[in-house]
Amino acid sequence: MKTQEIRELTLNYIKASHPSIYFYAPEEGKVMRMIDDIADELGIEYVYTYDLGNGLKIRKGEDKKVKDYSISEISSALSHLRGLKEKALVIFLGAASIFNENPDSKASKRVLKNIINEIKEEGLPLMLLFVSTALSIPEDIERETIVMDIPYPSRDEIQGAIQDFVKEHGIQIKEELKTSLLNSLTGLSDSEIDNMLHICLASDNKLNEKSINIIISQKEQIIRKGGFLEFISIKDENNKAGALKKLQDWLADKSKIFKDIGRAKEENVDMPKGVFLFGIPGCGKSLSAKITAGLFDIPLLRLDIGKIMGMYQGQSEENLRQAIKLAESISPSILWIDEIEKALSGATSGGGHEGSETSVRIFGYLLTWMQEKKEPVFVFATANNIQNIPPEFMRKGRFDEIFFIDFPERDSLKEIFDIHLNKRRKELSSQSIDKVVQQIPEQKKYTGADVEAIVVEAIQKAFINKSQVTENELIEVLKNFKPFSETHEKSLKGYYDLVKEHGITIVK
Ligand SMILES: Nc1ncnc2c1ncn2[C@@H]1O[C@H](COP(=O)(O)OP(=O)(O)OP(=O)(O)O)[C@@H](O)[C@H]1O
Ligand SMILES: [Mg+2]
């Protein structure tokens, strides 16, 4: 919903004296301004706020009787409100923590329910407005509460904010800078956007290319502070994968849609939903996610699903909901759910049964969202093991494609050696690398990560011996190297059984 529509709807609910509205918003400020504005428009004379830091305060109008109710006195504060005779709005700031962390929380939830009943049945002239960055409504009042999901500022709104800012400060910006500025500011709240623009202006007296870098690095930090998302914006040219041809071709194809999103929309082309990679550890699943962001030229958000499985009941879904909301706000984007099997390993503190119940809910939420999502968020899910992943997740139609990432073929090892040597600015002739690969027996399997480890060690050896790395160091390291396929021989069969069972496309 757009901000204007939300305002309209809120105004109508307040006019109709609906007892309770919950604003699920990226920041409080914008909602507060909207409520103040609506109170003025409707001529409502009393507005109160309640939060865990300040207790009950009068925001608009005069109330001599309002006391400094401490945070443990929420019930008394509510009793005071019950005595009001004039129409008043009461805003609960940080509602989720009021409900979850208040020592008086059980009793206060009951009092809230009673108040709602009195509003409905006895015409108590109050309206309860909850504002929170998290969505957590007590069951007692859920049915009577309207939820307003306030999105992050839209691209149009950000554009408006940039225009206002530029005008206000009498600065000029180049047309091409406008788009990059706009892109860099998505996923931030209104006040964060305003702060960023001020910081950029203060640092250079103008908005320029440097501003974009400042904003992106600040944004990375803001997102990381949330705890379970990492915003990866920097395209690392060093990220190259050898082998994996089938996957790379497939992704290159899909990238054409993301790179031409405007025309794709015009021609009613469905946006690619996502891809699911599962397979042998160290064969390039995570690497492929990073490469895809560069290829599609859109930001990558890495979701730490292990962390998402929070401690409190309901917390995990809340965290996931927030992650998705953010990914949508910076769309087109890639939501990379790395090591998705962690959502199944009883990762909650309770473990056992509770863990699996949370997993079911998390997967349910994810599946529904994937089915219904409208924003161009490409889901990049990766897993080592799909043994416990619910079959619905694997069903065709959720993802555009599921790939099994196998050991690279022997022919591709040369290319992978080359990539890792080049990454470290070392060059060996094609013949030298051939000689190294020839040392590997036909049936022996090496992962990309194995190859990288061999290169790293050989370069270190050469450095210690004060020489340049040659095929000799590589061959020497190779001789003593135990690849993953040997150390984990037993678990490998399981992978191939699963691939067969699910008929998954194999990528080598
Ligand atoms: N096909 C490849 N080409 C080049 N390098 C590779 C390839 N596969 C793996 N590597 C190297 O190995 C490292 C580890 O790979 P990556 O993290 O992508 O593996 P993964 O499949 O995600 O493993 P895990 O299942 O353990 O998470 C990469 O950073 C990369 O340097
Ligand atoms: Mg990985």
Side-chain angles (χ1 to χ4, degrees):
M1 234 191 305
K2 296 216 177 79
T3 310
Q4 196 48 37
E5 289 167 343
I6 289 172
R7 188 190 180 282
E8 200 66 33
L9 210 57
T10 306
L11 184 118
N12 287 334
Y13 278 117
I14 294 183
K15 236 186 193 166
S17 297
H18 188 86
S20 160
I21 306 178
Y22 195 110
F23 298 92
Y24 171 42
E27 70 171 341
E28 291 171 352
K30 187 176 182 176
V31 182
M32 298 292 278
R33 285 192 294 278
M34 180 183 78
I35 296 173
D36 286 340
D37 198 42
I38 291 177
D40 287 345
E41 184 172 335
L42 295 179
I44 296 172
E45 284 174 32
Y46 297 93
V47 179
Y48 291 82
T49 56
Y50 181 85
D51 68 64
L52 283 182
N54 294 320
L56 186 66
K57 289 272 177 276
I58 180 103
R59 181 176 173 86
K60 180 184 179 195
E62 210 178 288
D63 180 354
K64 293 215 170 70
K65 287 196 197 130
V66 67
K67 282 204 317 176
D68 261 342
Y69 298 100
S70 77
I71 56 162
S72 57
E73 291 175 306
I74 178 166
S75 301
S76 321
L78 293 173
S79 301
H80 173 80
L81 295 171
R82 252 174 163 158
L84 298 178
K85 301 277 178 288
E86 302 269 355
K87 182 154 183 169
L89 306 179
V90 189
I91 308 171
F92 294 83
L93 294 166
S97 33
I98 294 179
F99 296 135
N100 297 324
E101 288 159 33
N102 196 309
D104 193 14
S105 118
K106 263 211 177 104
S108 57
K109 282 178 197 165
R110 182 66 226 183
V111 180
L112 282 175
K113 185 180 169 72
N114 293 346
I115 291 187
I116 287 178
N117 285 340
E118 286 167 40
I119 298 171
K120 282 194 336 199
E121 283 153 26
E122 295 160 31
L124 183 69
L126 277 189
M127 278 201 66
L128 312 180
L129 307 175
F130 302 98
V131 186
S132 184
T133 51
L135 185 60
S136 167
I137 308 177
E139 255 174 56
D140 304 348
I141 62 167
E142 204 174 353
R143 285 190 52 190
E144 333 289 345
T145 303
I146 303 284
V147 177
M148 297 281 182
D149 188 348
I150 315 256
Y152 284 87
S154 65
R155 297 179 77 83
D156 285 347
E157 285 169 322
I158 299 174
Q159 202 155 21
I162 298 173
Q163 258 159 18
D164 290 350
F165 186 86
V166 167
K167 218 168 165 189
E168 189 188 326
H169 293 86
I171 43 178
Q172 301 277 329
I173 54 172
K174 283 191 228 136
E175 208 47 48
E176 43 301 0
L177 189 72
K178 272 189 194 156
T179 316
S180 1
L181 202 55
L182 172 60
N183 286 340
S184 68
L185 288 166
T186 55
L188 296 173
S189 69
D190 293 86
S191 62
E192 284 164 350
I193 291 173
D194 194 52
N195 281 344
M196 288 299 165
L197 292 172
H198 277 102
I199 291 171
C200 293
L201 191 62
S203 90
D204 227 12
N205 277 327
K206 54 180 181 271
L207 296 177
N208 53 19
E209 298 301 334
K210 223 170 95 190
S211 316
I212 312 280
N213 295 336
I214 296 176
I215 295 170
I216 288 178
S217 76
Q218 293 286 318
K219 181 156 108 174
E220 276 172 7
Q221 287 177 35
I222 291 172
I223 293 176
R224 194 171 305 131
K225 260 193 271 166
F228 42 82
L229 267 181
E230 191 188 348
F231 176 71
I232 306 169
S233 62
I234 317 256
K235 284 171 203 96
D236 188 349
E237 303 295 334
N238 281 324
N239 277 333
K240 281 203 190 90
L244 308 174
K245 178 144 185 359
K246 223 185 267 179
L247 172 66
Q248 301 209 48
D249 287 350
W250 186 87
L251 289 168
D253 250 2
K254 300 288 169 189
S255 77
K256 290 175 190 149
I257 304 179
F258 273 95
K259 283 200 170 144
D260 203 356
I261 218 165
R263 204 169 61 86
K265 276 187 182 159
E266 261 170 41
E267 298 194 13
N268 300 315
V269 176
D270 286 9
M271 290 312 285
K273 291 188 201 102
V275 67
F276 181 28
L277 305 187
F278 119 87
I280 314 285
C283 287
K285 297 184 292 297
S286 300
L287 176 66
S288 299
K290 291 178 215 154
I291 292 175
T292 306
L295 190 65
F296 287 16
D297 200 15
I298 57 180
L300 178 66
L301 278 171
R302 181 179 176 276
L303 179 70
D304 190 332
I305 195 94
K307 270 197 196 147
I308 277 259
M309 307 297 285
M311 310 202 297
Y312 311 111
Q313 240 204 322
Q315 182 90 28
S316 319
E317 286 131 294
E318 173 49 34
N319 289 345
L320 182 61
R321 190 182 297 122
Q322 284 190 20
I324 286 175
K325 188 166 171 173
L326 191 73
E328 288 188 327
S329 78
I330 64 170
S331 67
S333 59
I334 298 180
L335 183 64
W336 170 22
I337 313 178
D338 200 16
E339 305 184 346
I340 201 161
E341 69 273 23
K342 279 197 185 155
L344 291 157
S345 55
T348 49
S349 59
H353 190 60
E354 192 192 282
S356 64
E357 244 179 48
T358 308
S359 300
V360 170
R361 283 204 310 270
I362 282 285
F363 270 95
Y365 189 88
L366 205 56
L367 289 176
T368 315
W369 170 71
M370 282 181 64
Q371 189 102 13
E372 293 169 2
K373 76 183 153 81
K374 304 227 164 33
E375 307 300 331
V377 177
F378 186 82
V379 179
F380 203 109
T382 58
N384 273 333
N385 198 329
I386 51 167
Q387 209 111 42
N388 296 316
I389 293 191
E392 309 90 273
F393 198 70
M394 310 273 296
R395 203 182 293 142
K396 275 256 162 126
R398 301 284 186 202
F399 290 99
D400 299 300
E401 196 58 81
I402 300 175
F403 291 108
F404 171 71
I405 309 296
D406 202 352
F407 288 101
E409 285 183 299
R410 202 159 174 277
D411 287 350
S412 308
L413 290 177
K414 191 177 159 188
E415 189 189 357
I416 302 177
F417 268 108
D418 213 32
I419 287 173
H420 289 291
L421 285 162
N422 286 343
K423 198 171 167 179
R424 293 161 180 86
R425 311 266 175 275
K426 310 285 173 204
E427 251 176 67
L428 258 72
S429 68
S430 173
Q431 292 87 327
S432 298
I433 301 179
D434 266 342
K435 277 189 200 149
V436 179
V437 176
Q438 274 158 20
Q439 299 294 314
I440 300 176
E442 286 284 346
Q443 68 286 2
K444 220 171 178 174
K445 304 276 188 200
Y446 281 77
T447 66
D450 288 334
V451 172
E452 182 171 24
I454 292 166
V455 169
V456 166
E457 206 181 322
I459 293 177
Q460 288 175 344
K461 261 201 158 75
F463 178 81
I464 293 164
N465 296 333
K466 300 199 166 52
S467 63
Q468 285 297 318
V469 67
T470 65
E471 72 248 36
N472 296 335
E473 282 81 14
L474 286 165
I475 291 170
E476 200 188 320
V477 175
L478 186 67
K479 273 188 194 147
N480 300 312
F481 189 87
K482 280 234 169 307
F484 178 85
S485 56
E486 278 179 15
T487 49
H488 291 75
E489 208 180 335
K490 281 206 188 101
S491 60
L492 288 179
K493 187 176 173 299
Y495 283 99
Y496 296 102
D497 291 346
L498 281 169
V499 172
K500 240 197 199 146
E501 186 187 329
H502 293 277
I504 297 171
T505 314
I506 300 177
V507 177
K508 290 176 186 234

